[in-house]
């Protein structure tokens, strides 16, 4: 992946400074967000953002703006998931922002990689990519420690390997990141990258990132 393409995606998804200056966001209502977590989010993502099952992602420590953007995408139908679309339908922009801030402040419990045989291959791909296949280093966007980049790229460190693997497959199949209106710029980048990855590479990098701290 060309560096210019990655930089362009960041620019496209960056918050417009002028717009924010004219319409500064309201102070986040974290008490209300906590109520939403208790009543809605905790059933799948845990009361502290640490999911109890690999079917649902852990959100603790995830970049706040990334969570907010994904909620916006679910509400708009840009990202398709019947359950999450229903959950996001009643949320206001301020609710989404507050939820992002709340979950980002939670401490990830972390996981340990389960399959040691995949770690070397996963580490190699995460840190250096696969130049021959055109797969960039995952660390370039998700940070060397897997903590992610605000708004643009999610935290991978300590995420369930099964969930990360499932998302990579979804990107490759077009189930995710291929919205017809092209509003998910970073999703399209991931779809392109995942399309060049083998199943073995997906499993390896998912296993490796699950053990990052």
């Amino acid at each position: 992946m060309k560096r210019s393409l990655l930089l362009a995606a960041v620019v496209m998804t960056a918050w417009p400074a002028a717009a924010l200056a004219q319409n500064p966001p309201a102070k986040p209502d974290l008490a209300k967000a906590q109520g939403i977590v208790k009543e809605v989010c905790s059933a799948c993502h845990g009361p502290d953002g640490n999911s109890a099952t690999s079917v649902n992602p852990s959100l603790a420590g995830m970049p706040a703006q990334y969570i907010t953007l994904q909620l916006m995408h679910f509400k708009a139908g840009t990202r398709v998931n019947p359950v999450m679309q229903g959950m996001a339908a009643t949320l206001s922009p301020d609710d989404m922002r507050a939820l992002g801030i709340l979950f980002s402040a939670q401490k990830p419990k972390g996981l340990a990689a389960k399959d040691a045989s995949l770690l070397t291959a996963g580490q190699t791909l995460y840190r250096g990519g696969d130049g021959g296949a055109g797969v960039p280093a995952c660390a370039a966007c998700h940070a060397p420690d897997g903590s992610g980049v605000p708004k643009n790229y999610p935290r991978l460190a300590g995420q369930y390997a099964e969930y990360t693997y499932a998302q990579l497959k979804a990107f490759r199949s077009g189930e995710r990141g291929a919205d017809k209106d092209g509003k998910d710029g970073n999703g399209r980048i991931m779809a392109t990258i995942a399309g060049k990855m083998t199943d073995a590479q997906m499993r390896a990098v998912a296993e490796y990132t699950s053990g990052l701290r």
Side-chain angles (χ1 to χ4, degrees):
M1 181 62 60
K2 299 292 185 181
R3 181 177 178 82
S4 59
L5 179 58
L6 294 175
L7 289 175
V10 174
V11 171
M12 285 191 297
T13 55
W15 291 105
L20 284 177
Q22 295 176 3
N23 301 289
K27 183 178 180 180
D29 189 341
L30 298 184
K32 181 181 179 182
Q34 185 64 66
I36 295 173
V37 170
K38 183 178 180 180
E39 295 176 9
V40 182
C41 311
S42 62
C44 293
H45 300 287
D48 60 352
N50 287 285
S51 172
T53 173
S54 62
V55 174
N56 304 308
S58 289
L59 302 180
M62 190 74 72
Q65 290 180 325
Y66 179 80
I67 293 176
T68 299
L69 181 63
Q70 296 310 301
L71 288 171
M72 292 172 65
H73 280 178
F74 281 126
K75 184 167 183 174
T78 301
R79 182 173 173 184
V80 179
N81 178 289
V83 174
M84 280 306 305
Q85 286 175 275
M87 297 298 183
T90 60
L91 297 177
S92 70
D94 287 340
D95 291 336
M96 296 179 195
R97 179 169 169 263
L99 285 168
I101 292 172
L102 188 65
F103 277 123
S104 71
Q106 304 306 307
K107 183 177 181 181
K109 289 185 177 179
L111 299 171
K114 300 175 183 178
D115 191 341
S117 67
L118 298 177
L119 295 184
T120 298
Q123 182 184 63
T124 298
L125 187 64
Y126 189 85
R127 294 183 176 181
D130 181 348
V135 178
C138 309
C141 292
H142 296 281
D145 62 354
S147 59
V149 176
K151 189 173 184 183
N152 297 303
Y153 309 111
R155 177 186 180 90
L156 299 181
Q159 188 60 266
Y160 287 104
E162 296 89 343
Y163 180 79
T164 300
Y165 172 60
Q167 296 310 298
L168 286 170
K169 289 199 300 179
F171 280 122
R172 183 173 62 185
S173 69
E175 179 183 344
R176 184 175 174 189
D179 62 291
K180 62 180 181 179
D181 296 323
K183 293 182 178 179
D184 186 3
N186 290 321
R188 285 185 175 273
I189 289 176
M190 272 308 307
T192 299
I193 293 172
K196 299 176 181 179
M197 295 175 68
T198 66
D199 194 71
Q201 287 178 323
M202 291 182 180
R203 289 183 181 279
V205 79
E207 190 70 33
Y208 174 70
T209 55
S210 70
L212 288 176
R213 294 290 187 274

